[in-house]
């Protein structure tokens, strides 16, 4: 049976060149970068070379980039790190953030901080004017994602960055889904902190990073040794860091071309589904959207059964973010966008990537509309 | 795969799908949390189920459980349908993950509603004609 992976927003396969780059650091180059002997120096050199590579890609100084265990830790470090440095205050975020941001904000609320969640429109975008209106004298942080993992909508980050800069408020951006997929400049966007992740861009899992603009006042949230200029304690994951840097180098080379190719396949997928399946709608922004992401709702079908039907045909798609696909609630992202429950419960996310081919899309277009028809035929008329 | 072969088989090729014209009993149940909706139709002769059909909106397990139940109830006296429990459905499906147990409850409630509807509308005089 043909296997088609359409869940690149959840995770991606490690690029063969990334794997090759990592291998020596599991074997002969096993030193601890904090050790001062030759074994340690080899590891340290690898870590610093990787840091340079990624900082170069972002156009920032290498001292401004901290390695973490992944996007979730980066979000926690950024938000708690900035908030705790002030001790109290107000944070601005949005209701469609990843759980790593939302639940960190909720934790701050329980600790006495105030959080304003500015709404999103029907396409999942925050209105920068709402952000401006939400600013208070005690606002200590604005945290808004670059692109949404479920629907792919890209936020007006540069506009929000200008507002943050006008008020002198640190601006954190969860860039996990955008980093390495679409070009942007952290400096031009006025970003003070940017979270990114390795396994969304063909690097290994268990590694991410946080760009911290020089001068951003923050405290560390994980205590221990003096690693990462005392901003993140813990022995560096050297093989994964090397792999992450190689993945970034490959994205720097391939990103633009890849984005065009993937966008074309994505649009062909959506246009094919729209032409073949009745009662289907596109969720997310028609233009300001990640090139590989298409989220579509089938009314009268529950996404879980559609995902199962696709899985039985070798196709891996998801119902939203992987963290929520086990729950039975409609997606909080779609709910915040005002998508009615009967549509939100039938939302299918397909996220394309490097490996996605024309033939894959042909196959999905053979299977998906037929599966939707079959499931709809099972459904009682009152909901169909 | 987190689902059993039996469940996948019923999901892949559901039995007795679709509405029934002039059923002897019809009933439905909706899960208030997830919105899953199951509807059962019963054809009854001499107090026994001779045919059951279903329509279900829901997750894979809800669809599979519906299909399974239409087979489990065949040839059973309507009066005994109350003995069929969600646990029995779950066992027949080879178990359900904790977050999918609602499927077994949903179909049993819909089946009981259909049986109750049959009992309410059943008139021996008419049915003997």
């Amino acid at each position: 049976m043909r296997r088609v992976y359409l869940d690149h927003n959840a995770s991606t396969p490690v690029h063969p060149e990334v794997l090759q780059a990592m291998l020596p650091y599991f074997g002969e180059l096993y030193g601890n970068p904090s050790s001062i002997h030759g074994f340690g120096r080899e590891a340290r050199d690898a870590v610093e070379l990787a840091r340079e590579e990624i900082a170069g890609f972002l156009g920032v100084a290498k001292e401004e980039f901290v390695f973490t265990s992944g996007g979730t830790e980066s979000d926690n470090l950024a938000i708690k790190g900035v908030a705790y440095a002030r001790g109290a205050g107000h944070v601005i975020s949005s209701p469609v953030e990843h759980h790593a941001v939302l639940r960190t904000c909720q934790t701050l609320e329980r600790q006495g901080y105030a959080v304003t969640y500015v709404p999103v429109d029907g396409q999942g975008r925050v209105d920068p004017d709402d952000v401006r209106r939400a600013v208070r004298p005690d606002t200590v942080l604005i945290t808004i994602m670059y692109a949404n993992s479920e629907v792919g909508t890209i936020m007006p980050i540069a506009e929000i960055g200008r507002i943050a800069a006008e008020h002198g408020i640190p601006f954190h951006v969860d860039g996990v889904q955008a980093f390495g997929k679409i070009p942007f400049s952290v400096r031009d966007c006025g970003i003070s902190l940017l979270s990114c992740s390795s396994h969304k861009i063909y690097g290994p899992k268990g590694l991410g990073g946080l760009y911290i603009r020089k001068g951003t006042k923050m405290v560390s949230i994980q205590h221990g040794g003096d690693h990462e200029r005392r901003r993140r304690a813990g022995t560096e994951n050297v093989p994964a860091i090397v792999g992450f840097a190689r993945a970034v180098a490959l994205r720097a080379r391939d990103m633009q071309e890849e984005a065009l190719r993937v966008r074309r396949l994505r649009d062909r997928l959506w246009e094919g589904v729209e032409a073949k399946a009745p009662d289907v709608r596109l969720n997310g922004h028609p233009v300001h959207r990640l090139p590989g992401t298409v989220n579509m709702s089938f009314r009268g079908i529950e996404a879980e059964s559609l995902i199962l039907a696709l899985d039985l045909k070798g196709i891996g798609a998801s119902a939203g973010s992987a963290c929520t696909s086990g729950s039975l609630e409609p997606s909080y992202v779609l709910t915040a966008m005002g998508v009615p429950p009967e549509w939100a419960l039938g939302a299918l996310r397909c996220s394309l990537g490097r490996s996605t081919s024309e033939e894959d899309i042909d196959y999905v277009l053979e299977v998906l509309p037929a599966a939707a028809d079959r499931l709809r035929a099972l459904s009682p008329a009152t909901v169909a | 795969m987190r689902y059993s072969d039996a469940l996948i088989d019923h999901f892949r090729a559901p039995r007795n799908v679709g509405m029934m014209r002039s059923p002897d009993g019809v009933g439905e149940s909706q899960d208030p949390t997830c919105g899953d909706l199951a509807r059962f139709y019963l054809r009854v002769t001499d107090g026994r189920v001779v045919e059951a059909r279903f329509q279900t909106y829901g997750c894979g397990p809800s669809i599979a459980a519906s299909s399974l139940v239409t087979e489990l109830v065949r040839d059973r006296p309507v009066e005994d349908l109350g003995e069929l429990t969600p646990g029995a459905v779950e066992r027949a499906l080879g178990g359900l993950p904790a977050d999918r147990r609602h499927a077994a409850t949903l179909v049993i409630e819909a089946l009981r509603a259909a049986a109750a509807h049959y009992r309410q509308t059943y008139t021996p005089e008419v049915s003997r004609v």
Side-chain angles (χ1 to χ4, degrees), chain A residues 22-172:
Chain A
M22 289 168 69
L23 285 177
Y25 295 91
F26 291 109
E28 65 266 32
L29 299 166
Y30 49 77
N32 184 328
S34 297
S35 303
I36 56 171
H37 45 60
F39 303 90
R41 286 198 305 274
E42 284 168 347
R44 169 59 54 201
D45 288 349
V47 167
E48 295 315 317
L49 206 63
R51 199 189 309 277
E52 243 167 67
E53 175 78 50
I54 298 168
F57 176 72
L58 283 171
V60 302
K62 72 191 270 285
E63 295 74 24
E64 295 177 305
F65 194 81
V66 172
F67 289 112
T68 68
S69 64
T72 293
E73 190 196 323
S74 297
D75 288 339
N76 271 266
L77 173 56
I79 297 168
K80 290 179 188 162
V82 169
Y84 292 169
R86 305 287 279 272
H90 171 244
V91 174
I92 297 171
S93 189
S94 90
V96 298
E97 300 298 310
H98 189 273
H99 279 134
V101 169
L102 280 183
R103 291 188 177 151
T104 303
C105 285
Q106 288 159 4
T107 300
L108 291 182
E109 285 182 275
R110 283 194 292 276
Q111 292 166 345
Y113 292 83
V115 181
T116 301
Y117 301 92
V118 293
V120 294
D121 64 18
Q123 270 105 41
R125 290 192 113 204
V126 159
D127 181 346
D129 285 336
D130 285 336
V131 175
R132 189 187 301 279
R133 279 189 285 271
V135 171
R136 308 190 332 196
D138 64 340
T139 303
V140 296
L141 179 70
I142 299 172
T143 173
I144 301 283
M145 69 199 328
Y146 207 106
N148 187 273
S149 58
E150 284 190 38
V151 295
T153 295
I154 297 168
M155 294 287 190
I157 289 299
E159 289 91 323
I160 299 168
R162 270 198 290 280
I163 294 163
E166 282 166 23
H167 293 85
I169 301 166
F171 180 30
H172 168 244

Side-chain angles (χ1 to χ4, degrees), chain B residues 90-126:
Chain B
E90 191 182 331
R91 278 191 297 280
L93 285 174
L96 286 170
D99 61 354
R100 294 291 184 267
R101 296 238 166 86
H102 68 277
T105 312
L106 175 83
V107 297
I108 288 301
E109 282 175 1
L111 175 70
R112 286 176 182 169
H117 177 248
Y118 164 75
R119 281 194 295 272
Q120 280 162 17
T121 54
Y122 172 66
T123 47
E125 292 74 22
V126 174

Side-chain angles (χ1 to χ4, degrees), chain A residues 299-306 308-309 311-313 325-330 341-342 345-346 374-375 377-383, chain B residues 1-3 7-8 11-14 17-18 28 30 33-39 54-61 63 99-100 102:
Chain A
R299 195 158 64 109
I301 301 172
E302 202 178 88
E304 201 266 11
S305 56
L306 194 53
L308 183 56
D311 187 30
L312 293 171
K313 297 281 189 184
S325 60
S327 86
L328 303 158
E329 308 274 309
E342 70 268 24
L345 286 166
R374 197 178 69 82
L375 289 168
L378 301 180
S379 200
T382 45
V383 281
Chain B
M1 180 63 73
R2 63 202 290 251
Y3 298 137
L7 191 155
I8 292 298
F11 175 75
R12 203 194 286 264
V17 174
E28 63 181 41
Q30 182 155 23
T33 320
C34 63
D36 281 11
L37 174 64
R39 184 187 294 160
F54 81 93
Q55 290 175 303
T56 293
Y57 162 82
C59 58
I63 291 167
D99 61 354
R100 294 291 184 267
H102 68 277

Side-chain angles (χ1 to χ4, degrees), chain B residues 81-98:
Chain B
L81 294 186
E83 292 167 15
L84 202 56
T85 60
V89 171
E90 191 182 331
R91 278 191 297 280
L93 285 174
L96 286 170

